[in-house]
C-alpha cells in the first residue's frame, strides 16, 4: 500500500510541481498587497493632513462627478475608520474602477491602479498569465491548469502524510526535524518532509478553498459538504417574502416623499436654488453616513451608494461580513435591509472561503502564518525534485563490486 502511495505522490507531483510552485509563490506575494500598495502610493491612499471635520460628502461627490465623462457615474463612496485614509469613490465603469479624494481639501488624489508586480502575480496565481479573457466564454487553459494542479497538490499532500506516518510513529522527533547533520542532502530532505508537515494544515486550507474558484462541480460539492446549497451571489439580498414586504414599504415611502417633494416645489416655485439642484443625488449621503457611524462607531468601513449602504462588521473572521441598509434619497430615512446575521448561508460561506483562502481570518497574525505556509508550499515541489533527482543519480551509479 505504501508503495502505491509513493507512486501516486511521485508521478502526480513531477509533471505539475512547477505549476504548484508558481501558484503558491504568487499567492504568497498577494497576501500583503493592500499594505504594500498603500505604502508605495501613500499620496493616493492617504490625506495630506487630518482636519477637524471633512467637507460634506455631497460636495465631494459633486467635485468628483464634474471630472467624469457623461458615460461614467458614481456608484458609491467608502469611508474608512482610519481618519487619515482618503475616501474611495467607486465608479460605474470600467470594471472595479475607483478613485480617491481627500475629504478635507476636496482634492482628487488619484485612481485605483494595481501595481504592476501584483497584477502579474494575480494573473499568474489565477490563470498562469493566460492571455484569454478570464471572464469570457470558452475554455480557459490557464485557469484549468491551475485547478488541476491544485487538485494534484491536495492528493500529493494527503499521500505524503500516508508515506510519512509509518516512520513518524517510530521516531516522531526525527521525522519533524530539519538540520544540516547530514549535509545539504539531509537539509533538503528534512525541509521537504518536516516542512511539509508543519505547513500541511495551512496549504490544505488554501488549496481546498482555492478550488472553489476553479471548478463548478467542486464548488457545489464543497458547499454541500458544508451543509449549504450553492446559489449565485446576491450580496445579502433578502428572501422573496422580505422583498415583497420591502417593495410595499418602498412604495409607501416613495409616495410620501413625492408628495413632500411636490409640496416643496410648489412652496419654492422652482427646483433650483442659487443655480444648484436642491435634490442632488448625493444630497442625503452625509446624513446617512452620520447616522450609521453613530450607531457603529467601531466599523472598519462604511459604504454609501445609490439608496443603499453597508457597514462592515470586522476585519477578522469573515472580513466581508456586513450589515446592509436602504435609505430614502430625499428624506435620508434609513431602513435595515439585511443584517449579516440574516444573510443567506451561501453568502456567509462565500465570505468565509475568501477569508480562509487569503489568511485574513485572524488578522495580521494569520496572514503572516499564511505567508510562511504558502512559501513552504512553493518549496515542496522544488525540494521534491531535488530528492527525486538525487535518487535517480544514485541508481545510475555502478555498484562498488562492479568497479575495477
Amino acid at each position: 500500500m505504501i508503495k502505491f502511495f509513493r507512486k501516486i505522490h511521485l508521478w502526480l507531483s513531477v509533471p505539475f510541481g512547477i505549476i504548484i510552485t508558481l501558484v503558491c509563490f504568487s499567492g504568497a506575494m498577494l497576501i500583503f498587497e493592500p499594505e504594500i500598495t498603500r505604502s508605495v502610493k501613500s499620496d493616493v491612499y492617504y490625506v495630506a493632513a487630518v482636519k477637524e471635520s471633512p467637507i460634506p460628502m455631497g460636495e465631494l461627490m459633486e467635485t468628483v462627478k464634474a471630472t467624469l465623462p457623461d458615460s461614467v457615474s458614481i456608484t458609491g463612496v467608502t469611508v474608512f475608520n482610519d481618519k487619515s485614509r482618503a475616501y474611495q469613490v467607486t465608479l460605474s465603469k470600467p470594471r472595479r474602477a475607483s478613485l480617491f479624494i481627500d475629504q478635507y481639501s476636496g482634492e482628487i488624489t488619484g485612481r485605483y491602479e494595481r501595481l504592476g508586480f501584483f497584477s502579474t502575480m494575480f494573473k499568474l496565481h489565477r490563470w498562469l498569465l493566460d492571455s484569454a479573457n478570464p471572464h469570457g466564454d470558452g475554455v480557459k487553459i490557464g485557469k484549468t491548469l491551475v485547478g488541476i494542479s491544485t487538485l494534484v497538490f491536495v492528493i500529493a499532500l494527503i499521500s505524503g502524510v500516508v508515506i510519512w506516518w509509518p516512520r513518524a510513529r517510530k521516531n516522531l522527533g526525527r521525522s519533524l526535524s530539519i538540520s544540516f547533520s547530514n549535509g545539504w542532502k539531509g537539509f533538503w530532505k528534512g525541509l521537504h518532509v518536516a516542512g511539509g508537515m508543519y505547513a500541511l494544515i495551512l496549504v490544505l486550507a488554501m488549496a481546498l478553498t482555492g478550488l472553489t474558484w476553479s471548478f463548478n462541480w467542486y464548488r457545489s460539492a464543497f458547499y454541500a459538504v458544508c451543509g449549504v446549497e450553492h446559489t449565485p451571489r446576491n450580496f445579502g439580498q433578502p428572501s422573496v417574502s422580505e422583498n415583497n414586504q420591502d417593495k410595499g414599504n418602498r412604495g409607501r415611502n416613495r409616495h410620501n416623499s413625492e408628495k413632500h417633494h411636490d409640496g416643496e416645489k410648489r412652496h419654492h416655485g422652482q427646483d433650483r436654488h442659487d443655480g444648484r439642484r436642491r435634490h442632488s443625488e448625493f444630497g442625503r449621503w452625509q446624513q446617512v453616513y452620520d447616522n450609521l457611524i453613530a450607531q457603529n462607531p467601531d466599523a472598519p468601513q462604511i459604504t454609501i451608494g445609490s439608496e443603499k449602504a453597508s457597514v462592515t462588521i470586522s476585519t477578522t473572521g469573515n472580513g466581508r461580513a456586513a450589515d446592509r441598509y436602504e435609505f430614502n434619497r430625499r428624506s435620508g430615512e434609513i431602513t435595515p435591509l439585511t443584517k449579516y446575521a440574516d444573510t443567506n448561508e451561501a453568502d456567509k460561506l462565500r465570505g468565509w472561503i475568501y477569508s480562509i483562502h487569503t489568511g485574513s481570518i485572524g488578522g495580521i497574525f494569520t496572514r503572516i502564518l499564511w505567508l510562511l505556509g504558502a512559501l513552504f508550499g512553493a518549496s515542496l515541489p522544488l525540494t521534491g525534485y531535488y530528492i527525486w533527482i538525487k535518487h535517480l543519480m544514485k541508481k545510475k551509479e555502478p555498484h562498488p563490486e562492479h568497479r575495477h
Side-chain angles (χ1 to χ4, degrees):
M1 183 62 74
I2 296 298
K3 288 184 178 180
F4 170 76
F5 279 102
R6 282 185 185 278
K7 289 182 179 180
I8 290 291
H9 187 79
L10 175 63
W11 296 114
L12 283 180
S13 300
V14 167
F16 292 99
I18 293 298
I19 299 177
I20 292 170
T21 291
L22 292 174
V23 172
C24 287
F25 177 78
S26 56
M29 295 300 100
L30 293 169
I31 290 176
F32 285 98
E33 178 188 0
E35 288 80 2
I36 295 172
T37 301
R38 290 199 297 267
S39 177
V40 171
K41 304 183 73 172
S42 59
D43 57 327
V44 173
Y45 286 84
Y46 293 91
V47 301
V50 177
K51 299 179 182 178
E52 187 174 347
S53 58
I55 297 171
M57 199 175 288
E59 292 184 30
L60 292 172
M61 296 306 100
E62 292 293 350
T63 299
V64 172
K65 185 178 179 179
T67 68
L68 302 176
D70 293 339
S71 59
V72 179
S73 60
I74 295 172
T75 59
V77 58
T78 297
V79 181
F80 301 92
N81 188 265
D82 181 355
K83 302 302 180 186
S84 65
R85 290 281 303 276
Y87 286 5
Q88 184 170 4
V89 183
T90 52
L91 308 176
S92 59
K93 59 183 180 181
R95 190 171 181 267
R96 293 182 179 176
S98 64
L99 53 77
F100 298 87
I101 185 169
D102 185 327
Q103 61 269 30
Y104 303 104
S105 68
E107 177 187 359
I108 295 174
T109 58
R111 288 180 174 268
Y112 168 77
E113 290 179 338
R114 201 167 205 164
L115 295 177
F117 173 76
F118 291 119
S119 179
T120 301
M121 288 296 103
F122 182 77
K123 292 174 183 176
L124 182 63
H125 187 69
R126 291 290 299 275
W127 311 302
L128 289 180
L129 302 179
D130 189 359
S131 59
N133 178 10
H135 306 290
D137 297 327
V139 177
K140 304 163 188 68
I141 297 174
K143 180 181 177 181
T144 302
L145 280 174
V146 168
I148 293 173
S149 301
T150 306
L151 195 56
V152 165
F153 193 29
V154 171
I155 298 171
L157 289 168
I158 295 172
S159 60
V161 174
V162 174
I163 297 167
W164 169 82
W165 179 242
R167 291 184 180 180
R169 283 190 303 176
K170 299 175 182 177
N171 193 336
L172 185 60
R174 186 177 178 182
S175 297
L176 291 174
S177 64
I178 305 173
S179 70
F180 282 99
S181 59
N182 293 320
W184 280 105
K185 181 180 178 181
F187 173 77
W188 293 123
K189 186 173 182 179
L191 189 64
H192 183 78
V193 177
M197 291 304 107
Y198 289 131
L200 177 67
I201 300 300
L202 300 183
V203 290
L204 267 179
M206 296 177 214
L208 292 173
T209 52
L211 281 168
T212 60
W213 284 283
S214 296
F215 304 113
N216 291 332
W217 62 265
Y218 178 88
R219 181 165 54 248
S220 298
F222 187 93
Y223 276 63
V225 169
C226 295
V228 176
E229 181 182 357
H230 177 255
T231 57
R233 188 180 307 181
N234 65 8
F235 300 98
Q237 292 300 315
S239 63
V240 174
S241 60
E242 288 173 320
N243 265 321
N244 291 337
Q245 181 180 359
D246 196 50
K247 285 178 181 177
N249 291 335
R250 285 203 300 270
R252 286 191 293 272
N253 289 338
R254 188 178 295 112
H255 176 68
N256 292 335
S257 297
E258 287 172 353
K259 283 175 64 180
H260 173 75
H261 180 55
D262 291 342
E264 196 174 55
K265 284 177 68 176
R266 285 193 297 269
H267 177 73
H268 291 285
Q270 58 181 8
D271 191 37
R272 294 178 178 270
H273 182 66
D274 294 335
R276 292 186 179 184
R277 293 175 57 187
R278 287 192 60 83
H279 296 290
S280 163
E281 59 188 302
F282 316 112
R284 296 295 181 180
W285 286 23
Q286 184 68 53
Q287 176 186 334
V288 171
Y289 171 76
D290 291 341
N291 288 336
L292 291 177
I293 193 63
Q295 299 171 29
N296 307 274
D298 298 322
Q301 62 187 54
I302 294 177
T303 300
I304 310 297
S306 178
E307 298 186 339
K308 290 186 179 178
S310 66
V311 178
T312 301
I313 295 174
S314 174
T315 55
T316 58
N318 181 355
R320 293 184 169 184
D323 291 333
R324 303 183 188 279
Y325 301 84
E326 195 171 58
F327 65 90
N328 185 298
R329 70 184 181 90
R330 290 196 174 94
S331 68
E333 180 184 358
I334 302 173
T335 305
L337 184 59
T338 310
K339 289 290 187 178
Y340 172 68
D342 301 325
T343 301
N344 72 56
E345 296 303 317
D347 281 347
K348 286 182 181 177
L349 181 58
R350 189 175 289 111
W352 281 107
I353 288 172
Y354 180 82
S355 296
I356 292 172
H357 186 71
T358 59
S360 59
I361 187 171
I364 189 71
F365 176 72
T366 53
R367 290 169 71 199
I368 292 173
L369 285 180
W370 257 243
L371 172 64
L372 297 175
L375 291 175
F376 259 119
S379 75
L380 290 176
L382 302 181
T383 52
Y385 283 136
Y386 175 86
I387 296 169
W388 178 55
I389 292 170
K390 280 289 185 181
H391 179 71
L392 292 178
M393 292 173 63
K394 187 176 180 180
K395 287 178 67 176
K396 288 183 178 180
E397 291 179 0
H399 197 274
E401 63 187 34
H402 292 149
R403 293 176 183 171
H404 288 287

